[in-house]
Amino acid sequence: MGRWICCLCSRVADSLMLLLVLALSCNPSTAATASPSAPHSKPSYSFGRTFLGLDKCNACIGTSICKKFFKEEIRFDTWLSSHLKLPPSYLLSYSGNYTDDAKSWRLVDITRLTSKYRHDRADKRICTSLLKTKTCSLERALRRTQRFQKWLRAKRLTPDLVQGLSSPMLRCPSQRLLDRIVRRYAEVPDAGSIYMDHLTDRDKLRLLYTLSVNSHPILLQQIFPDVEGWPFPRYLGSCGRLVVSASTRPLRDFYGAAPDVAADLALQLLAVLRSMGTNDLNYFFYFTHVDAGTFGVFSNGHLFIRDASMLGIIDKEEVGSQLIDGQQEYKDIFSCLTVDCQSAFVSCNSIREKHSLVMVCQELLPKLLKGKFLQPVQEKIDSFLQHCADGLADDQGVNEAVAELAEILKPLRSCDSRFAYRYPDCKYSDKY
């Protein structure tokens, strides 16, 4: 009898223990400590290598800012949404937000050096012309070219290595300019030398590809940075075939601005052109084309060159050592990645001091200043613009003409907080 009671007690104890285990497993608080919960799914961009252009590297611009994209520290559009969606890939530029601490965000411009259509057409041209196939490894194809093989052997970037490239910046190259490009190339971790020893084969291909497609990112923070006083927005980095830089509003957005704002922007525009012609480094910058998107304005009212792709450079210190125009007839696949291979080069000898000013007077200043002021001031401005658009009389009269227009515009601008880039300095300076 005692043995039966003992057995019954043992079974009851086992049953109670089983019930206790089941109860613990059903309790949410204890279950959470017993086993890890399912990971919380965080919405994120469905970044594809194709959208960024990483699938085409190393025939791309760079990878210095890719981590920012994948960590969602760069987001598209001007709003911060939890439902993250990529914009259409066919657009040439995008508005975005950039952060270093995930708390404060600032606006940036995310751009392609050329349209995705042109990129795709150029990629197809590389495969069909070099390997006779419709699709191929772009890197393998470009590595086989005579030009890139010369780049691989070269210790220094010399004018013969860039001759025939379509970039206006390289139509009249000097050794001093090319050394500056290599020394300040921002897509490599160890720049600083004029020799290309610190560039890997991959780096050389990326630099050559960028110079062949569009020299805009090279001109920005890399060789003429804003921190040294050059009128370019800050270069933040590249990923695949996308470039990220500080955000500016295009000048076209200000065509309907108030008269004092228009006068201020026109004065800044004239100052930029003057600095492009005369600067401490003795480089002469000129535009081969200008439009409403060439210049941009920061939120503080400061005007910068927004698109440097159509900017040419002549080195005043090494004019005699630059390639003569006849030598630039050499062309290869790198010469026509984004332009017609039959396009003629602009002669270096044909560029005059008034070149950029005349284009700005024809395309931009009339849209910015027409009908903004009372007579007789408006009449004087219109007369100058017409004289300038007609080509001015001679090169010697350019500086005088710019100074004359500047004197008309100076009294027409205001000094208040709308012009943060010069306020409150303008209250205490005769300069303004």
Side-chain angles (χ1 to χ4, degrees), residues 193-209:
S193 171
I194 64 173
Y195 297 102
M196 296 197 289
D197 296 336
H198 61 286
L199 300 183
T200 64
D201 293 358
R202 176 198 63 192
D203 297 328
K204 289 183 178 180
L205 180 58
R206 290 179 182 177
L207 177 56
L208 173 56
Y209 180 84

Side-chain angles (χ1 to χ4, degrees), residues 247-248 297-302 418 420:
S247 177
T248 59
V297 183
F298 283 121
S299 58
N300 65 357
H302 207 170
R418 289 177 300 157

Side-chain angles (χ1 to χ4, degrees), residues 23-293:
L24 286 174
S25 66
C26 293
N27 189 321
S29 60
T30 54
T33 57
S35 60
S37 61
H40 175 66
S41 59
K42 179 183 177 183
S44 63
Y45 286 121
S46 298
F47 268 123
R49 293 169 60 83
T50 302
F51 181 87
L52 295 170
L54 280 171
D55 59 324
K56 304 298 176 62
C57 283
N58 292 300
C60 65
I61 307 161
T63 57
S64 60
I65 209 166
C66 286
K67 287 184 179 179
K68 286 279 187 183
F69 278 104
F70 288 107
K71 289 168 67 179
E72 295 176 17
E73 293 176 347
I74 295 177
R75 292 184 179 181
F76 289 88
D77 214 337
T78 53
W79 42 267
L80 306 178
S81 170
S82 60
H83 304 288
L84 304 175
K85 295 181 180 179
L86 287 174
S89 61
Y90 59 79
L91 297 178
L92 190 59
S93 63
Y94 312 89
S95 178
N97 287 273
Y98 176 101
T99 186
D100 289 317
D101 55 14
K103 296 178 182 178
S104 57
W105 296 79
R106 53 191 166 117
L107 292 176
V108 292
D109 289 333
I110 305 169
T111 57
R112 300 183 187 276
L113 296 192
T114 187
S115 67
K116 190 174 186 302
Y117 167 76
R118 286 194 174 184
H119 267 312
D120 292 343
R121 190 171 65 170
D123 295 343
K124 185 177 180 180
R125 183 185 295 136
I126 291 171
C127 293
T128 54
S129 63
L130 296 180
L131 298 182
K132 311 302 180 185
T133 60
K134 291 184 178 181
T135 59
C136 69
S137 166
L138 300 178
E139 180 174 358
R140 188 180 304 120
L142 293 176
R143 278 177 173 272
R144 295 181 180 181
T145 60
Q146 181 180 0
R147 186 190 294 265
F148 186 67
Q149 288 301 313
K150 289 177 66 176
W151 271 62
L152 288 178
R153 296 190 297 268
K155 292 291 185 181
R156 192 174 182 182
L157 185 60
T158 52
D160 63 295
L161 295 177
V162 298
Q163 66 172 306
L165 298 185
S166 63
S167 169
M169 184 181 75
L170 299 173
R171 289 179 185 173
C172 314
S174 70
Q175 188 60 59
R176 188 169 71 113
L177 176 63
L178 297 178
D179 287 344
R180 189 175 181 88
I181 291 173
V182 172
R183 190 172 64 248
R184 295 187 169 216
Y185 182 43
E187 285 297 317
V188 296
D190 184 26
S193 171
I194 64 173
Y195 297 102
M196 296 197 289
D197 296 336
H198 61 286
L199 300 183
T200 64
D201 293 358
R202 176 198 63 192
D203 297 328
K204 289 183 178 180
L205 180 58
R206 290 179 182 177
L207 177 56
L208 173 56
Y209 180 84
T210 306
L211 292 173
S212 302
V213 174
N214 190 325
S215 58
H216 172 74
I218 304 296
L219 273 163
L220 298 192
Q221 174 72 357
Q222 302 190 39
I223 64 173
F224 296 108
D226 65 311
V227 293
E228 294 181 5
W230 298 97
F232 301 106
R234 178 161 300 186
Y235 174 84
L236 298 173
S238 299
C239 183
R241 290 179 171 179
L242 292 180
V243 178
V244 183
S245 59
S247 177
T248 59
R249 289 176 60 191
L251 188 62
R252 70 170 69 90
D253 289 359
F254 296 87
Y255 284 165
D260 57 343
V261 174
D264 183 80
L265 292 175
L267 276 168
Q268 289 192 70
L269 189 51
L270 295 176
V272 166
L273 294 181
R274 188 162 54 247
S275 69
M276 295 287 91
T278 305
N279 51 75
D280 293 340
L281 291 184
N282 232 359
Y283 288 112
F284 172 60
F285 297 77
Y286 66 93
F287 287 99
T288 59
H289 171 79
V290 295
D291 57 38

Side-chain angles (χ1 to χ4, degrees), residues 45 368 421:
Y45 286 121
L368 189 62
Y421 80 95

Side-chain angles (χ1 to χ4, degrees), residues 395-411:
D395 285 354
Q396 286 70 32
V398 173
N399 291 329
E400 290 81 354
V402 169
E404 180 183 345
L405 180 59
E407 287 303 314
I408 298 174
L409 293 172
K410 280 179 182 178

